[in-house]
Amino acid sequence: MARSKPPTRDELLRARRAVVSRADGADAAVRGLLERPLGRAGAIRELNDLLLFLQAYPVSAAQHRMATHGLRRFQQDLHERLSEDARLHAALQDSGLSGCDVVGAYSCTLGRWLLEHWTAPVLVHGSDASSEQLALLLRPLLTPPEQEALDQRDDDAAGLLASLFGSDPQAQLRGLMDALAGARIGMAQREALFNSLSLFVRIVGGPRAPSLTTLRFTSEEPFIHAGPLQRSVDVPALLAQPVEPPLPLNAGAHRRLITTARQVLALMQRETDPVTYAQRAELHAMGRGLAIALFHMDPAHRLSIESYVGFMAFKNGVPMAYGGAWVFPGRTKVGINVFPALRGGESSWFFAQLLRLYHQRFRVPLFEAENYQLGHGNADGLRSGAYWFYYRLGFRPWNERLARIAAREAKRMAAEPRYEVPLPVLKELVADGLVMRIHEDQDQPMVDTAALVRAAGAWAGSGGDRLHTLKAARMKAARVLDVPDTAANRAALDAWSLPLALVEGLERWPAADRRGIARALAMRSADTEHGYQEALRGCTRLLQAWAGTGAEG
């Protein structure tokens, strides 16, 4: 009997469309595909994504079991193919699939974490820096004899790293990390130096290494989507539904949640500060098998004014999306990225749930999608139709003229399904951000935080003696606010002293206003940023002053 042919990418795409549309015969089509051998790299990626989608959006318990068993078989077959086919191994590099390597550029912190926690080798893959640049950057980390030996060598970048840290690429990464850890420099300087090395790290895949095929985070039975997928959503009604408190997580589950998020992003060659520098994570069950984890950074890495709170979403345990919100009273920026495997599902409903979570946990009255997220200077965002995704959910342009153009184009797209917005028009639209006003808060000033920090930075250098200006600003803020001299307060004053220096007459403000500012400063070192934002919302006079400063800046 002739061996059946591997499924093609086109066959798998047709099966995915049948699954997404809930067409009759979709299960039979998937079973037939699973009985055939693995094909080329593109088809292998599609099969992996199809099975992940089935796990996330099963129409029945039987379909979920089929996807789960199919993924196990897929993983076994893939490992066999990879062990005997070097070309396939190379073609699937950076896919994140089980057994496949990933090469990426990561921060020093995440690189060291991967070295310590990944279950397979993590090693130096290469550097975009020249040998001269590497020698110059690494010199401060070396002993005098090593520096003298370095002067006598004329290697390329790879040879230079080998001469300093050995020929084993994993030993090179570990040696480099150890040298950075031993340097008498601060955390920020260490990260900047590592970034300047333009180093690429290879995360080696293996049968027992984490992968996008296998990584999950769930504590519930899978939700069965017996009815149609939730394609549309009444956003105002959903936002009004109370959010349940975070799910209880013991120390092990909390650690595993952060670990899973870091691994997922690293396998996608991505990284976000809230996940890399996560101090506290909280997990919320949002219904229909959706769980959203919020990640709060440790105080040392938090932004000076805003609260950058990241998220990762899981659908029936399958990683679904990541992103974050830059929370600030009166105005919160938000950005999302849905993973390719789960696109075509309940993305609009999920995003509305995400807004609901941030809205209620941080009392957000207005969400803003920045222009880059929509496609301004971002070809991927422009092609993806991100602008209309946000628009359909209720986001609208700030500018009245652009609002009229957007309404006209939206109306035409609804009337003519094949109509495409002309590229010049779309580029004009995405140049401005979109906002969703949940409710008007007349007492909450609108602060342009980007303008505020620019004004603070300019003020620091305007006097000619920057160090003296910074010291004087810190001393004045500490005196006016009467805060105790603790490490946490000193760090908070480092972040706030310049923005506070822009406020004229702060020392003459009523004691109650100054105590409110001191409370907000104290909350910057808490485990999460909820208390900080709550205290900051109470600083109405300060926010009004900053709003004026930002407008002037």
Side-chain angles (χ1 to χ4, degrees), residues 92-173:
L92 287 174
Q93 177 180 298
D94 302 335
S95 66
L97 270 59
S98 186
C100 300
D101 295 359
V102 171
V103 175
Y106 306 104
S107 68
C108 181
T109 298
L110 185 59
R112 175 168 282 280
W113 184 87
L114 288 168
L115 264 177
E116 295 172 352
H117 295 89
W118 200 257
T119 56
V122 179
L123 42 90
V124 169
H125 177 75
S127 171
D128 272 353
S130 67
S131 58
E132 292 80 7
Q133 289 174 310
L134 283 179
L136 182 65
L137 292 166
L138 293 174
R139 178 176 290 276
L141 307 179
L142 305 176
T143 63
E146 289 175 310
Q147 292 177 2
E148 293 174 21
L150 192 64
D151 293 335
Q152 300 172 26
R153 302 193 66 90
D154 187 22
D155 299 308
D156 59 12
L160 187 148
L161 289 172
S163 70
L164 290 173
F165 305 112
S167 59
D168 176 16
Q170 187 169 22
Q172 288 178 15
L173 185 59

Side-chain angles (χ1 to χ4, degrees), residues 5 32 80 84 166 175 194 204 268-269 271 288 320 327 329 332-333 369 373 407 427 439 472 508 531 541 548:
K5 293 182 179 180
E80 290 180 11
E84 60 191 28
F194 184 79
V204 176
M268 299 195 75
Q269 301 170 297
E271 182 177 1
R288 297 178 65 82
M320 177 185 185
V327 182
T332 289
K333 305 179 190 74
Q373 179 83 12
K427 286 185 174 180
H439 60 77
R508 296 189 296 275
R541 185 166 183 171

Side-chain angles (χ1 to χ4, degrees), residues 235 239 272 274 292-294 303 306-313 321-328 330-338 347-348 350-360 362 364-375 378 386-387 389-391 393-396 398 432-438 449:
V235 177
L239 291 174
T272 67
I292 301 177
L294 298 181
L303 299 181
E306 296 171 309
S307 294
Y308 180 17
V309 180
F311 80 86
M312 184 168 285
Y322 80 99
W326 290 259
V327 182
F328 195 79
R331 180 178 183 174
T332 289
K333 305 179 190 74
V334 64
I336 68 164
N337 189 310
V338 177
S347 297
S348 295
F350 147 68
F351 189 38
Q353 291 286 6
L354 181 71
L355 297 177
R356 172 186 169 220
L357 180 59
Y358 278 117
H359 166 58
Q360 295 194 28
F362 294 98
V364 174
L366 181 148
F367 285 104
E368 176 183 358
E370 290 190 300
N371 57 10
Y372 180 82
Q373 179 83 12
L374 305 174
N378 173 8
Y387 187 91
F389 174 77
Y390 282 91
Y391 192 90
L393 283 167
F395 283 76
R396 294 294 182 267
W398 293 95
D432 200 23
L434 290 175
V435 293
M436 174 188 282
R437 289 181 172 85
I438 298 174
T449 53

Side-chain angles (χ1 to χ4, degrees), residues 448-532:
D448 185 339
T449 53
L452 176 62
V453 295
R454 283 198 304 270
W459 185 84
S462 62
D465 188 341
R466 178 176 171 276
L467 292 179
H468 174 76
T469 300
L470 293 174
K471 183 178 179 180
R474 281 194 295 267
M475 291 177 62
K476 179 182 177 181
R479 183 181 70 255
V480 169
L481 300 179
D482 191 25
V483 294
D485 185 20
T486 65
N489 282 337
R490 286 195 295 273
L493 287 170
D494 282 342
W496 270 41
S497 57
L498 287 179
L500 288 175
L502 298 175
V503 179
E504 293 186 9
L506 178 62
E507 65 277 8
R508 296 189 296 275
W509 283 15
D513 289 325
R514 286 182 279 129
R515 282 196 299 269
I517 298 172
R519 279 195 298 272
L521 276 174
M523 294 305 298
R524 290 190 81 258
S525 59
D527 273 0
T528 73
E529 302 218 46
H530 295 296
Y532 166 64

